[in-house]
Amino acid sequence: MPLPALERLSTYIRCLRQLEEEGTASVSSQDMERHTGVTAAQFRKDLSYFGEFGKRGIGYRVTELRERIARLLNIDEEQQVLLVGAGHLGSALIAYPGWHFYRFRIAAVFDKDPDKIGAAIRNHVVLDMERLEEIAASVGARIGILAVPAWDAQGVADRLVAAGIVGLINFAPTKLRLPPQVSVREVCFICELAILSHLVHHQPEKG
Amino acid sequence: MPLPALERLSTYIRCLRQLEEEGTASVSSQDMERHTGVTAAQFRKDLSYFGEFGKRGIGYRVTELRERIARLLNIDEEQQVLLVGAGHLGSALIAYPGWHFYRFRIAAVFDKDPDKIGAAIRNHVVLDMERLEEIAASVGARIGILAVPAWDAQGVADRLVAAGIVGLINFAPTKLRLPPQVSVREVCFICELAILSHLVHHQPEKG
DNA sequence: TAGATTGTTAATCGATTAACAATC
DNA sequence: TAGATTGTTAATCGATTAACAATC
């Protein structure tokens, strides 16, 4: 299964959720193309890597498809996530409204700054980094989020992996060196801005 | 030029900056492979879409390469950016430490919430959305950042485009419908988490 | 049945990798 | 000159698109 196909599943699920809210019961791949911008053929091909989801001549049941894609992504049951870093980014992540829909739950928030430890951010009390291993073990989290400065990222990542984390979202602008069985997804906002900068600068009209 | 090649330029520039700080004057494509994980052949091929950057038998001058890539990305001169949305995410973006290195500058921050308008976030005073067109025109910004809720995103995007914005970073979980000459880059943190969830769930060991 | 739409196969397209001539 | 390393060409690989048989 191609990684781009997996990456598009999130797009589909977001769209299906919206259709559900609007009360739409059924969609065709053509409809999905209109809603997501992904071509009908691409949509059907993407799904085909995972099984059969529709009925020929009819289309797809919105709710069923949403549920089955959720199961594929393993977001059909609540999943514990560790968040390291309680700075501005960490705080914004805690306030993010989408956790619930995707069935993720912040199991614990860590920081090493004594000024932050013990403070409450929304419904989370910031814990001392020292307790990372202990808490990771007790909640059995497999996914962690790195919202720490670049110079701290590798050290924290190593500790998370040692504590049983096998998937990491890395917001720090640094390349992590981790065992190959650990999956890492980089989120680099400023990189996106730089790419955009090139694209708008080299646009046909207006130079 | 393939889009993936462009996307990797940010990785290279980040690496080159680090090498510069360490005082390294020269790198080979092999060195870059070690530092970034992108293969030497890929690195050379990526650069080849834009010109010649090194010396055969020698390698690349770190500073020169960094500067030339910065010019390719159009981040060699200060660039004004409009930020719409002064919530948690907007605040975290304002606090982001990487703006300066990439020569981006937040020209103005907007929100429509009367409780936020007039408040200071770091060195920015939040402006009324009503003034968006006026300010956009006066600073001549071409890039905007959408840090507003999904239900507001399309409307704000339309206004930004009407005000001369041709590149958008969209943090809202919604597909924007915009004229084709407008470049949009989606940043979807929770999508990354969902992808990661699938990857760790379907890993060889531990299931 | 006729019309619609899927799932899948084959064709196309594009990106990556490998190899090597150019050259420092 | 010999060794190193680029820039580029050709070969491979993988993803997307198009077409269509299956089937609701």
Side-chain angles (χ1 to χ4, degrees):
Chain A
M1 177 260 312
L3 188 59
L6 171 60
E7 292 173 338
R8 282 187 292 268
L9 292 186
S10 287
T11 310
Y12 302 151
I13 213 168
R14 175 198 283 180
C15 169
L16 290 164
R17 171 208 204 173
Q18 207 175 329
L19 289 170
E20 248 182 323
E21 280 176 0
E22 292 166 7
T24 311
S26 171
V27 274
S28 68
S29 53
Q30 266 300 332
D31 296 334
M32 288 300 285
E33 173 166 348
R34 273 186 291 274
H35 289 299
T36 66
V38 178
T39 65
Q42 177 99 262
F43 174 75
R44 296 200 306 275
K45 188 82 171 105
D46 285 350
L47 292 185
S48 77
Y49 294 112
F50 301 97
E52 303 197 358
F53 295 81
K55 284 235 188 311
R56 293 167 194 230
I58 307 291
Y60 305 84
R61 306 282 314 171
V62 171
T63 299
E64 187 206 328
L65 183 55
R66 203 253 306 137
E67 286 172 353
R68 288 189 60 193
I69 294 179
R71 192 149 61 243
L72 289 175
L73 292 172
N74 192 36
I75 55 173
D76 57 328
E77 288 178 18
E78 190 163 87
Q79 200 165 175
Q80 305 296 323
V81 173
L82 301 184
L83 170 59
V84 185
H88 289 95
L89 174 58
S91 301
L93 290 173
I94 291 170
Y96 183 80
W99 293 98
H100 180 68
F101 174 71
Y102 284 82
R103 308 292 294 275
F104 290 113
R105 199 181 157 273
I106 303 179
V109 181
F110 300 94
D111 205 293
K112 69 175 187 183
D113 179 354
D115 290 349
K116 287 184 186 129
I117 295 165
I121 303 178
R122 293 218 157 185
N123 51 341
H124 292 277
V125 174
V126 179
L127 304 177
D128 191 330
M129 270 295 287
E130 295 304 311
R131 297 182 62 197
L132 193 145
E133 288 76 7
E134 166 207 337
I135 308 266
S138 76
V139 302
R142 306 189 66 201
I143 290 180
I145 301 176
L146 273 181
V148 301
W151 61 83
D152 246 11
Q154 183 65 56
V156 173
D158 291 339
R159 281 181 67 182
L160 283 167
V161 170
I165 293 293
V166 286
L168 272 176
I169 304 280
N170 179 27
F171 284 94
T174 189
K175 165 98 187 141
L176 299 175
R177 290 166 199 282
L178 295 171
Q181 71 273 17
V182 178
S183 302
V184 180
R185 303 281 303 179
E186 309 270 342
V187 179
C188 180
F189 147 73
I190 203 87
C191 297
E192 295 299 319
L193 211 42
I195 293 161
L196 200 59
S197 174
H198 173 91
L199 292 173
V200 305
H201 190 62
H202 292 82
Q203 255 168 10
E205 57 138 39
K206 270 182 100 177
Chain B
M1 175 264 309
L3 187 59
L6 171 61
E7 292 174 337
R8 282 187 292 266
L9 292 186
S10 287
T11 310
Y12 303 152
I13 213 167
R14 174 197 282 181
C15 170
L16 290 164
R17 171 208 203 174
Q18 206 175 331
L19 289 169
E20 249 181 321
E21 280 178 359
E22 293 166 4
T24 310
S26 171
V27 274
S28 66
S29 54
Q30 266 300 331
D31 296 334
M32 289 299 285
E33 174 166 346
R34 274 186 291 274
H35 290 298
T36 66
V38 178
T39 66
Q42 177 99 262
F43 174 75
R44 296 200 305 276
K45 188 80 170 113
D46 285 350
L47 292 185
S48 78
Y49 294 111
F50 301 97
E52 301 196 1
F53 296 81
K55 284 234 188 311
R56 292 167 196 231
I58 307 292
Y60 305 83
R61 308 280 313 170
V62 172
T63 299
E64 188 207 328
L65 183 56
R66 203 252 308 136
E67 286 171 354
R68 289 191 59 195
I69 294 179
R71 192 149 62 244
L72 289 175
L73 293 173
N74 192 35
I75 55 173
D76 57 328
E77 287 177 20
E78 191 164 85
Q79 200 165 175
Q80 306 296 324
V81 173
L82 302 184
L83 171 59
V84 185
H88 288 97
L89 174 59
S91 301
L93 290 173
I94 292 170
Y96 184 79
W99 293 98
H100 181 68
F101 174 72
Y102 284 81
R103 309 292 294 273
F104 290 112
R105 198 181 156 276
I106 303 178
V109 182
F110 300 94
D111 206 293
K112 69 173 189 184
D113 178 355
D115 291 349
K116 289 186 184 127
I117 295 165
I121 303 179
R122 294 220 156 184
N123 50 341
H124 293 277
V125 174
V126 179
L127 304 177
D128 192 329
M129 269 297 286
E130 296 304 312
R131 298 183 60 198
L132 193 143
E133 288 76 7
E134 166 207 337
I135 308 265
S138 75
V139 302
R142 308 188 66 204
I143 290 179
I145 301 176
L146 272 182
V148 301
W151 61 83
D152 245 12
Q154 183 65 55
V156 173
D158 290 339
R159 282 181 66 182
L160 283 166
V161 170
I165 293 293
V166 285
L168 272 175
I169 305 279
N170 179 27
F171 283 94
T174 190
K175 166 96 186 142
L176 298 175
R177 290 166 198 283
L178 295 171
Q181 70 273 17
V182 178
S183 302
V184 180
R185 302 282 303 179
E186 308 270 343
V187 179
C188 180
F189 148 72
I190 204 85
C191 297
E192 295 298 320
L193 211 41
I195 293 161
L196 201 59
S197 174
H198 174 89
L199 292 174
V200 306
H201 191 62
H202 293 79
Q203 256 169 10
E205 57 138 41
K206 270 182 100 175

